[in-house]
Amino acid sequence: MQNAKDTFYTMLQGRLAMLNPSRTIVVRGVARPGTLVEENELPTASVPVDTFRLQWTKLQVNSVSPLPQVAMECSIQYATDGTSGQGSMDRGRLLAAMDAELASALAAEPRSEQKMNYSGASVGVAPAAMGTNVFWSDPVFGAAAVLDERLERTATVQVYSHQEAGEL
Amino acid sequence: MSTTTAQAAVAPVAPATGRVRAYFAPVNRSAGTPTIFDPAQLGSFDLDTPPSPWADLGWISKFVRKCGTKVDPLRAGAPAITVAQVRAEVEAAISFEFESWGKLQATLASGSQQTNLLTTASSATANGSGGVAAAPISLVTGSGPPSTASSLNVGATAALGFSIGSLVAVDIDYTGQLGYVGTGVSTAYVQSASAVGGDVNYIRRVTLNAGVVVGIDSGVLTLASPLQAGTPTEGMKVSRLVGFCDREGASFFQEWSALFAIEGAQGDRILYHYPRLQTMQGSAEAVGALAAPLESIRLAAAFRALPVKDANDGETVVCFRSYLPAALRNV
């Protein structure tokens, strides 16, 4: 299941970065594309804005298939305060831009990605390609939440994969 | 001697997909020959660029295949017991909804011939499928670039009568032809010249050879997509049109060759090929729910499959289902 999570995250991060290369975030002193998985980062109470934050929530396994089919819910949260130069009056536009980027990245073809095993990957060592693909549903966008000058939204996506022989 | 490292095959899982893509190819009605799709040669084609002469109909939804084939038992003895079976009847039908509302989709879903609403001549008498059409525009030859499937040389003067966004129908004049008419695709059947009033524009009125103008330069109209019938032939003319019309109760049966492709999430593919489909209902729409009072209206279509002979063994069949497994799948 971890391979499917890593594969989906890497796919989404790459597609979002291609759509908007200027959406970046500095994490532990390193600038990188503005997409992260919260469980892979240091716990913090602060909410990074103008960034897509992935959380893995629900999990369901169907064992009837020759390869158990795994359905995981990915909750994608994002928020914006607008820009200070605009007095935050552009926060609606910035949230709409993030809506569009996320929708476009998830709707782009192909709607599947070859599952990769990143456990042995490091600098100069590529992840290992696996035998099945990860695929996903259309996102369901929740209502925008208003927290003072902040606008925040959560979208959920069902991510499907098959557990391959020997895969944990 | 070269060697390759053996790899383990993956167990075959049920294909997962959310969409079905449809493709159209013409049936030569006069000769009674459909367009045959060979999945062994072309099955892995790019869904966005189908092989010629297949035309993309876009995504469809609510794709349902209905098998009406009846298998009856043959009984013998007392008490009677089934000793064999026989196929007493072969029947197949499909139904679906088009996700796009284009000329080709509307024509196929209409259940009969669809007419182009040609721009009328001044003071034309009102008519339900469009009044007498304005005079057509001839394509220019020998001066300027030749017309192609996606550019029409009408000359600088005639081009003034078109604008970006103009819809055009391109086909030959009606000069008394009988039987199936329509270049590229048979779109109507003329029983007598008097039935169509000897209308010189009749073939352009029913043709599928239509397009939208997206550019005008030096008397040449650039079309958004190539004409169904390809490069215009000698004698073809251009008529402007404003839209399309079909009629409940019309007598013509459209017939077409169909291909439906389902791309599995694992890289596998299911193909359904119906060489001959004819409509089995009149024009209909399916209403999709939006926030009230809004509704989306999709073209709903249902077709009955007609038979062809498989050249491999002479079997009479109505549909071919092919499955192309993903790479390295156990079979």
Side-chain angles (χ1 to χ4, degrees):
Chain A
M1 297 172 195
Q2 187 59 48
N3 293 324
K5 290 158 74 174
D6 292 342
T7 300
F8 179 78
Y9 161 63
T10 306
M11 175 280 303
L12 186 59
Q13 183 193 52
R15 290 188 181 189
L16 289 168
M18 191 169 292
L19 287 167
N20 184 0
S22 65
R23 187 178 300 289
T24 58
I25 184 175
V26 176
V27 180
R28 299 189 297 280
V30 178
R32 51 188 244 198
T35 307
L36 56 81
V37 181
E38 288 197 340
E39 66 190 30
N40 295 348
E41 306 297 341
L42 294 172
T44 175
S46 68
V47 173
V49 293
D50 302 312
T51 297
F52 295 99
R53 295 141 32 222
L54 277 58
Q55 292 180 342
W56 293 101
T57 52
K58 297 176 184 173
L59 171 67
Q60 192 172 7
V61 180
N62 176 3
S63 301
V64 175
S65 175
L67 298 176
Q69 187 178 70
V70 179
M72 294 182 288
E73 184 180 273
C74 183
S75 171
I76 304 168
Q77 299 178 346
Y78 47 101
T80 184
D81 295 337
T83 54
S84 56
Q86 298 289 332
S88 292
M89 291 187 293
D90 59 351
R91 59 192 185 282
R93 291 177 179 275
L94 294 183
L95 190 74
M98 298 185 81
D99 293 339
E101 288 170 24
L102 183 60
S104 179
L106 291 170
E109 296 289 345
R111 299 283 294 264
S112 61
E113 188 82 359
Q114 184 172 26
K115 189 160 61 172
M116 309 294 282
N117 183 343
Y118 289 86
S119 61
S122 61
V123 177
V125 180
M130 303 187 71
T132 58
N133 290 350
V134 175
F135 53 103
W136 51 90
S137 69
D138 285 335
V140 176
F141 292 90
V146 180
L147 304 167
D148 298 325
E149 80 280 10
R150 179 164 297 172
L151 281 180
E152 187 169 295
R153 194 191 304 281
T154 299
T156 53
V157 184
Q158 296 296 322
V159 179
Y160 297 92
S161 62
H162 289 281
Q163 284 293 101
E164 300 180 26
E167 182 185 8
L168 295 176
Chain B
M1 186 192 334
S2 65
T3 58
T4 53
T5 306
Q7 297 182 53
V10 177
V13 298
T17 190
R19 299 191 289 183
V20 181
R21 192 80 167 252
Y23 301 90
F24 161 93
V27 171
N28 184 330
R29 301 295 296 275
S30 300
T33 52
T35 301
I36 297 297
F37 179 82
D38 186 338
Q41 298 184 58
L42 303 169
S44 299
F45 71 93
D46 181 341
L47 294 189
D48 292 329
T49 53
S52 178
W54 295 91
D56 189 4
L57 292 169
W59 299 106
I60 59 172
S61 55
K62 297 185 181 170
F63 177 66
V64 177
R65 298 189 337 124
K66 296 171 189 162
C67 172
T69 297
K70 292 180 181 171
V71 178
D72 288 344
L74 288 179
R75 298 189 178 94
I81 189 166
T82 300
V83 294
Q85 293 194 109
V86 62
R87 283 187 178 81
E89 190 177 322
V90 174
E91 173 93 3
I94 58 168
S95 61
F96 57 85
E97 296 170 11
F98 286 107
E99 288 293 326
S100 49
W101 197 317
K103 164 72 178 167
L104 192 51
Q105 292 88 339
T107 298
L108 296 175
S110 72
S112 186
Q113 77 259 44
Q114 194 194 52
T115 55
N116 298 314
L117 294 171
L118 303 182
T119 304
T120 57
S122 58
S123 305
T125 303
N127 187 53
S129 60
V132 173
I137 307 296
S138 297
L139 292 171
V140 174
T141 56
S143 172
S147 295
T148 68
S150 52
S151 67
L152 304 172
N153 185 350
V154 296
T157 304
L160 297 174
F162 297 85
S163 57
I164 302 295
S166 289
L167 298 170
V168 295
V170 184
D171 216 315
I172 57 175
D173 283 346
Y174 179 75
T175 56
Q177 298 95 323
L178 299 179
Y180 294 105
V181 296
T183 301
V185 182
S186 301
T187 47
Y189 188 90
V190 179
Q191 298 190 26
S192 67
S194 60
V196 297
D199 179 9
V200 70
N201 289 301
Y202 183 73
I203 297 177
R204 282 181 292 278
R205 193 177 289 286
V206 297
T207 188
L208 272 174
N209 218 28
V212 58
V213 176
V214 294
I216 303 173
D217 183 24
S218 304
V220 176
L221 312 178
T222 302
L223 304 179
S225 55
L227 294 167
Q228 175 75 31
T231 299
T233 56
E234 188 178 349
M236 282 193 174
K237 295 177 182 174
V238 183
S239 289
R240 286 188 59 182
L241 61 119
V242 299
F244 316 111
C245 173
D246 55 67
R247 304 165 298 175
E248 185 68 47
S251 60
F252 183 66
F253 277 96
Q254 291 282 357
E255 185 174 320
W256 57 297
S257 297
L259 177 67
F260 302 96
I262 297 177
E263 193 97 287
Q266 300 300 326
D268 46 353
R269 180 175 288 187
I270 306 170
L271 296 164
Y272 300 102
H273 175 36
Y274 293 85
R276 298 178 62 202
L277 282 183
Q278 282 196 2
T279 186
M280 57 185 289
Q281 71 177 32
S283 58
E285 301 84 29
V287 176
L290 298 174
L294 298 173
E295 297 171 332
S296 70
I297 302 171
R298 294 193 180 96
L299 292 164
F303 302 93
R304 179 172 283 115
L306 303 181
V308 294
K309 278 200 182 301
D310 188 328
N312 279 334
D313 56 8
E315 290 270 14
T316 299
V317 298
V318 295
C319 171
F320 300 85
R321 181 179 72 178
S322 304
Y323 179 64
L324 281 60
L328 266 179
R329 291 302 186 276
N330 229 332
V331 294

